[in-house]
Amino acid sequence: MQLEKKIIEQHNDGLISGHQKKFDYSAGSVANINNVLAKLAAFQIAIPSWALGTGGTRFGRFSGGGEPRSLEDKMEDIGLLHALNRSSGAISLHIPWDIPKDVQAIKALAAQYDLKFDAVNSNTFQDQPGQQHSYKFGSLQHVDKAVRQQAIDHNIEVIRHGEALGSDSLTVWLADGSCFPGQLNFRKAFQNTLDSLQQIYKALPANWKMFVEYKAFEPNFYSITVGDWGQSLLYATKLGPQAYTLVDLGHHLPNANIEQIVSLLLMEGKLGGFHFNDSKYGDDDLTTGSIKPYQLFLIFNELVDGMDAKGMDHATGLGWMIDASHNVKDPLEDLLQSVEAIMIAYAQALTVDREALNKAQANNDVVACQEILQEAFRTDVRPLVAEARLRAGGALAPVALFRELKVREQLINERGQKTVATGL
Amino acid sequence: MQLEKKIIEQHNDGLISGHQKKFDYSAGSVANINNVLAKLAAFQIAIPSWALGTGGTRFGRFSGGGEPRSLEDKMEDIGLLHALNRSSGAISLHIPWDIPKDVQAIKALAAQYDLKFDAVNSNTFQDQPGQQHSYKFGSLQHVDKAVRQQAIDHNIEVIRHGEALGSDSLTVWLADGSCFPGQLNFRKAFQNTLDSLQQIYKALPANWKMFVEYKAFEPNFYSITVGDWGQSLLYATKLGPQAYTLVDLGHHLPNANIEQIVSLLLMEGKLGGFHFNDSKYGDDDLTTGSIKPYQLFLIFNELVDGMDAKGMDHATGLGWMIDASHNVKDPLEDLLQSVEAIMIAYAQALTVDREALNKAQANNDVVACQEILQEAFRTDVRPLVAEARLRAGGALAPVALFRELKVREQLINERGQKTVATGL
Amino acid sequence: MQLEKKIIEQHNDGLISGHQKKFDYSAGSVANINNVLAKLAAFQIAIPSWALGTGGTRFGRFSGGGEPRSLEDKMEDIGLLHALNRSSGAISLHIPWDIPKDVQAIKALAAQYDLKFDAVNSNTFQDQPGQQHSYKFGSLQHVDKAVRQQAIDHNIEVIRHGEALGSDSLTVWLADGSCFPGQLNFRKAFQNTLDSLQQIYKALPANWKMFVEYKAFEPNFYSITVGDWGQSLLYATKLGPQAYTLVDLGHHLPNANIEQIVSLLLMEGKLGGFHFNDSKYGDDDLTTGSIKPYQLFLIFNELVDGMDAKGMDHATGLGWMIDASHNVKDPLEDLLQSVEAIMIAYAQALTVDREALNKAQANNDVVACQEILQEAFRTDVRPLVAEARLRAGGALAPVALFRELKVREQLINERGQKTVATGL
Amino acid sequence: MQLEKKIIEQHNDGLISGHQKKFDYSAGSVANINNVLAKLAAFQIAIPSWALGTGGTRFGRFSGGGEPRSLEDKMEDIGLLHALNRSSGAISLHIPWDIPKDVQAIKALAAQYDLKFDAVNSNTFQDQPGQQHSYKFGSLQHVDKAVRQQAIDHNIEVIRHGEALGSDSLTVWLADGSCFPGQLNFRKAFQNTLDSLQQIYKALPANWKMFVEYKAFEPNFYSITVGDWGQSLLYATKLGPQAYTLVDLGHHLPNANIEQIVSLLLMEGKLGGFHFNDSKYGDDDLTTGSIKPYQLFLIFNELVDGMDAKGMDHATGLGWMIDASHNVKDPLEDLLQSVEAIMIAYAQALTVDREALNKAQANNDVVACQEILQEAFRTDVRPLVAEARLRAGGALAPVALFRELKVREQLINERGQKTVATGL
């Protein structure tokens, strides 16, 4: 199903007067309101192809109905999201789950839904049927050159698929690591991984970026070979100017100050992209903004400040993607909630009084510094986000409209009650 | 395959002189050596039926060969372990994965392998094919009475299976909880869970114990309805004298002092049993003793001290079970390593100079307190454990013999390369 | 100095029209606005006497000027805060730092500043000059009965001081614990502590409460004898109906779900009071709401729900106190920020649509549950808090007025640049 | 007091036959025993001058008697330790606490006690009496150039003191950071810190090293400007070849894999030195090896492997120092326990069968990898450490001899019951 403009307009008509009042009130206190609205409108968050079905844990998975059965279905789902919120205009493909059979048809479909192809993702954390070598003991780090070569080849193949579709970046997340002390020689694992990444780097088109993602633990539980931002930065620096660090909010040790990491990576010119989600314990992959919304704001505060300092375009300077697992919610509703939370945090960061903040910092006026950030965070910026969405043709209340239209029921009718998304 | 006594004897013959020298040296410094050996020999650690196949994570699973295809195969595997180390003489069944088709045949098989039936485990964290109600939003905590009733009935059925086999305890581990703030009313979830547990409690035979296991997080990532020892103790106290808390080493928040929890639960007469494993980050389910062996010793130190204070029999006073996931090792070798680590920690705890420790504590002589514990921990007690095993008819070097005999290769021949244990 | 009403009125006059517009906008979406305002006005947060000077760490302390030199100065400071925000109308005394020399004069001073005497606090974590026995190895847990008796006597003396002033609760926070494995027999430490608490409990006036505070670690770094809510609840239950658990937000292991703990303690009728602060790593004692404002809201959400379920009066049902350390901010400004953050979280919790939430929970509509909580949290309730303050005679912008009036400069003139508050 | 050789010899005479039996047994299983003993003998761990008095926390300090009153007293204490264990032949000075008044006399005293001068430490985390600018808001990171200059000058002065004494390295530990979101511009704080460090770096003598220590948190509780190894490595790399990272075991987030960090820093040629202690929660500064002895062994396992890979001399290749706080033990006994634990871990690491480990790693034989490490860790190597000490002229049982000789009582007689070490 594809949402007709008229449906969205009818929905908005019913809400417009209430919205207008709120927007007028909110806009009154924002200095550069049109600038803010323009930035909000330009900001697009990619949806990963694996996030459209119900996720699970090692203990089980409770699937929902109407889940996408194919790449085409996944694009249809993201098309729906983007029609509703006008902020999800990109898809991040995972290979081999999403290899297009007909590239031209897929590109046409993307154009129809107004979607771009964001970073492509390789998978060397699972064995695929018929695969020659197993990744049980790692992929790019493996002690056996043949296994490494297989993983290198796979990554290069992923680049080729991405090129065909018009993507311009590769995200490499490695589960490589160890479960027990002594299992790995850390230095050899690092060197093998670096050598492998260098082979892949060589295959990058000139306009491409490579994102080296780090993670503190899971699925290996003693060491991870790209385990923190320091290690990722080491790899990215040794690889060259097209290599960058990718930050996933859930991939840190308890209590890590992620906003500081983000700031320093930006300073070094080595922040490449973001995976949004939220978590309380580990890589919980919960809805963005559902657990620590202030942290999300503080991260965006550093992003805006750091990108502005370098003159980077907010929308295109970094790769923005959700990376979550939807275990107990409808995946599409969940994604709408995540995107909304991201837009709110971004809007709050845009409205921070930076001049006053710089001055307070220069005076070590800690009380004022806190007041300035809290002023932005405590202000209700939802009307700004809604207005930007409205102007871009989206719905004033995406989740509500999704429910009114009984989208899930229609998808179940189309696709069936018991479907499983590829890759889950 | 079943190991013949002769094979073990031959193995031991080749190692006996080396062992004897080490044992003589080690025994020389142990006051009550025969008492220690007797306790070590009596100590049996149950193997859970799900631990015999290769485990995995939500990201994937890399299976090994020759895994058990049935309850009978699982018992054969544990029989092998027990023949090798004489400390694994019990099996903990998981229902519905291990429902015996022929109870008498299974009991005969157990007798043949010298195995007892330890605690039986229910499963309400997954939906089984054909199940009427889903546990997606919990089981014993569920807002819908019909779902709770289904879960209650299942637990009672598990008790009945256990009774038939001669088990005398039920372990209830609940994944129940929530992934997002607001999802649950905590008080109602507690009350529903308590009511459900009370229904199950009523169905307990008079000589049975119910173990209420707690866990800090996973697979729910915001709250768990039996989330820590305090909550488990609340349930167990409200339920009555047959209800106890079960401690799984991996089910705590970072940095928790588990040995103190163990000590207090023992003091309250409410410690019921133990799930052994090890972890660095969360419920990593690694080989026991592979990450924090000193913590394992400190826990046994409290167990020995606390059980002695109550006059409890070490071997039968609590339920002892391994609960681990074998992702990168041969599950049987892994279990041999876990049992060995447990026996070592137990032997170290048995040889602590308690009189001296009590005196040092009474004098606040912290330096001496530490010296006394470290003396026990730094001493190489492996010869004591080996001697106890030898006297009980086990192998001096279980892992080595397992490899010499090419047990895994034989199991693959028997069962095939691609088998998957039920429940995995 | 004492703030004249006229000064506050002048301040408010200048801000009233802006405020009125905001309040009208905000109040429009609140169903029972007068009820909410009345509850906000009634809510008073006690200020501890030790929070009025600059705090520090073991590495050092950087004092500010004009700090209170006496109990009278401390009351003057809290009087200033209360005049500004009308929500700080109570003082929590720490003995022996704040023993009044002239009880009647102190009571008169309290009346003058409109302050009540909240919970009194004992101190057995330091040795006072001339003290017979040292608390180096604990107080109520100590292996030596004479030390325990000294600590018991001190606590009873604290009760007597509290009685004289009109307080009705005693907070017992114990640093007791151990720094090294083996140092303590956990069971004996528990029993000694329980016995000591029972002696103190017997000395409680009939209308008094005893708050047993727990803490995960620091200043002992291996075990704490009242280490978590489960232990505190054990003590409180064994002590009797006048004993309660006190929750300090910073006294938990990483990632603890504090709101669930709060909910269950309320359910058990054993939650006694609260120490507010915020933290990222440990007991950081930062300004309340400065790090995890959503968690603060979630806690208040449970408090409101749980107290309402029991028909408890919000303002008087529990003890509310700030417990923070002001290392880099002016302590008075810092306290104004903390109180504001608490009032905001309370106001958000009061405006949660509980009927809708109950319904969504009953339907396992997790998306809606989240939307309902986020609706309350994302709404800007500051105008409600300000209106309640205005109606009670407080300042619309307390921090700003504090600065305009150059309060700190005046205090420095009065008290001097280099003063040190007693107890710091 | 200075221990006469004869006293140690008498002590050893009484224990020699028991020791000899144990050593013979232990040495039998070590291939290159003389090599191991030589390495153990050469290994010296510096004692910091601040570790000789009783430490404390922000909550209080319970001092002991006979604490050193001067630099001379501190050197006397370390001389005693070194006489007992022959492994503490270096002192690490802290400026301004330990500025020598007479350099030649101090050097002569060091020669008399056989002590070297290890890294000198600056202090910009406290304000000293009479200091012009305060470090309340940082030192090398400060927004005010004048404050930075003062801190730079102080560090250079520390280098000059170190030069005079024959030290060859400077340890820079910075408390710089922030307590609240917004307080700092992270990038400016980094740049200011880097600029300041560059000024200090320029003042380094050609043969000197600069150690840039990192710490996750405390005494700042939101961000630390040299907060993790990644940041420290960034600074050290930008500074140049004389700058290195220093690892303190207690300065990490929960669950960090420190041994992997150590391995990678060694690989990069940027590991400079070590601060030994142990911890359960944060920077608890407990006795080394008292909480996580297996982690200590795993770290030494990486150190030995990584230093051997680079051909580095174990004894001189890195700076080795204890950095602990002795709150509840006699500081000298505590230090003897720490040094013993370090020597044990080192000895275990030296006896790992590296050839077998490399082979098992190459085969992904995870079971064998674990067995090999556990074989080394479970073996009782204390007789090897004692033998090395014996041959070097130390005591077989240092703590026991310290007590027999009533050293503390003598120090109290000399120095008095109530002394406070400078810097505490």
Side-chain angles (χ1 to χ4, degrees), chain C residues 11 64 67 83 89 91 110 201-202 219 223 255 282 291 342 375 382 416 421:
Chain C
H11 162 84
E67 304 198 345
I91 178 167
Y201 187 87
K202 278 184 208 156
S223 74
N255 307 337
I291 303 290
I342 292 168
E375 167 66 29
R382 290 176 296 174

Side-chain angles (χ1 to χ4, degrees), chain B residues 264 267, chain C residues 186-194 234-235 238:
Chain B
L264 297 183
M267 178 186 77
Chain C
F186 294 129
R187 300 191 313 277
K188 287 184 193 165
F190 186 98
Q191 292 299 348
N192 282 340
T193 304
L194 178 61
L234 260 187
Y235 287 108
K238 289 172 193 286

Side-chain angles (χ1 to χ4, degrees), chain C residues 33-323:
Chain C
I33 181 70
N34 284 318
N35 185 18
V36 168
L37 291 175
K39 282 179 176 163
L40 290 172
F43 202 79
Q44 299 296 319
I45 302 136
I47 308 296
S49 61
W50 63 85
L52 301 157
T54 305
T57 72
R58 61 175 168 139
F59 293 102
R61 186 176 162 276
F62 300 94
S63 57
E67 304 198 345
R69 301 151 299 180
S70 62
L71 176 53
E72 287 76 4
D73 280 0
K74 293 175 182 180
M75 293 176 72
E76 184 188 4
D77 278 7
I78 300 177
L80 279 165
L81 295 177
H82 190 45
L84 287 166
N85 65 21
R86 301 306 300 160
S87 305
S88 312
I91 178 167
S92 184
L93 295 188
H94 188 289
I95 307 297
W97 300 336
D98 305 308
I99 297 178
K101 276 158 208 150
D102 179 341
V103 168
Q104 290 317 315
I106 290 295
K107 289 176 81 165
L109 203 59
Q112 178 187 331
Y113 294 129
D114 191 18
L115 303 181
K116 293 198 175 138
F117 289 96
D118 204 81
V120 284
N121 301 269
S122 56
N123 176 342
T124 62
F125 52 89
Q126 293 175 328
D127 288 349
Q128 306 301 329
Q131 180 177 311
Q132 190 175 3
H133 303 288
S134 170
Y135 297 133
K136 184 169 191 168
F137 300 107
S139 59
L140 300 186
Q141 77 168 12
H142 204 282
V143 291
D144 182 347
K145 194 174 178 358
V147 184
R148 298 200 298 273
Q149 192 60 50
Q150 175 183 287
I152 292 166
D153 292 343
H154 165 68
N155 272 278
I156 294 174
E157 186 206 339
V158 172
I159 294 172
R160 297 302 159 241
H161 286 299
E163 268 191 299
L165 292 167
S167 174
D168 60 7
S169 49
L170 170 71
T171 297
V172 182
W173 171 62
L174 296 172
D176 291 32
S178 66
C179 271
F180 295 99
Q183 179 181 341
L184 283 189
N185 180 304
F186 294 129
R187 300 191 313 277
K188 287 184 193 165
F190 186 98
Q191 292 299 348
N192 282 340
T193 304
L194 178 61
D195 292 346
S196 301
L197 287 171
Q198 284 169 334
Q199 301 306 315
I200 300 164
Y201 187 87
K202 278 184 208 156
L204 280 182
N207 65 325
W208 272 52
K209 294 179 178 177
M210 178 195 278
F211 300 145
V212 182
E213 190 171 357
Y214 61 90
K215 184 170 183 179
F217 60 95
E218 195 211 21
N220 270 299
F221 295 111
Y222 172 63
S223 74
I224 297 281
T225 298
V226 191
D228 62 16
W229 76 275
Q231 291 173 56
S232 172
L233 180 59
L234 260 187
Y235 287 108
T237 303
K238 289 172 193 286
L239 285 168
Q242 288 175 258
Y244 296 84
T245 293
L246 183 140
V247 175
D248 181 299
L249 295 183
H251 290 192
H252 299 84
L253 292 175
N255 307 337
N257 187 323
I258 301 173
E259 50 270 34
Q260 188 183 16
I261 292 171
V262 165
S263 172
L264 297 183
L265 284 170
L266 264 174
M267 177 186 77
E268 290 294 297
K270 280 297 197 184
L271 183 62
F274 246 85
H275 279 183
F276 291 108
N277 50 57
D278 212 336
S279 60
K280 190 167 175 63
Y281 304 100
D283 188 30
D284 307 340
D285 276 337
L286 302 178
T287 316
T288 310
S290 65
I291 303 290
K292 298 174 191 160
Y294 195 53
Q295 177 184 271
L296 186 66
F297 159 69
L298 293 175
I299 289 168
F300 265 101
N301 182 47
E302 294 303 328
L303 287 168
V304 165
D305 192 66
M307 293 179 85
D308 286 351
K310 297 231 166 195
M312 293 165 75
D313 183 86
H314 295 184
T316 60
L318 298 179
W320 310 107
M321 191 171 96
I322 288 173
D323 185 3

Side-chain angles (χ1 to χ4, degrees), chain A residues 22 25 255-256 280-281 289-290 294 329 333 337 344 365 367 370-371 375 378-380 382 403, chain C residues 22 25 255-256 280-281 290 294 329 333 337 344 365 367 370-371 375 378-380 382 403:
Chain A
K22 289 179 191 168
Y25 177 83
N255 307 337
K280 189 167 176 63
Y281 304 101
S290 64
Y294 194 54
K329 290 179 183 170
E333 293 185 358
Q337 290 187 313
I344 287 172
D365 186 347
V367 166
Q370 179 175 317
E371 295 272 305
E375 167 66 30
R378 288 170 174 170
T379 298
D380 190 345
R382 288 176 297 174
R403 291 188 163 199
Chain C
K22 289 179 191 169
Y25 177 82
N255 307 337
K280 190 167 175 63
Y281 304 100
S290 65
Y294 195 53
K329 290 178 182 170
E333 294 185 0
Q337 290 187 312
I344 287 173
D365 186 346
V367 166
Q370 179 176 317
E371 295 272 305
E375 167 66 29
R378 288 169 174 171
T379 298
D380 190 346
R382 290 176 296 174
R403 291 188 163 200

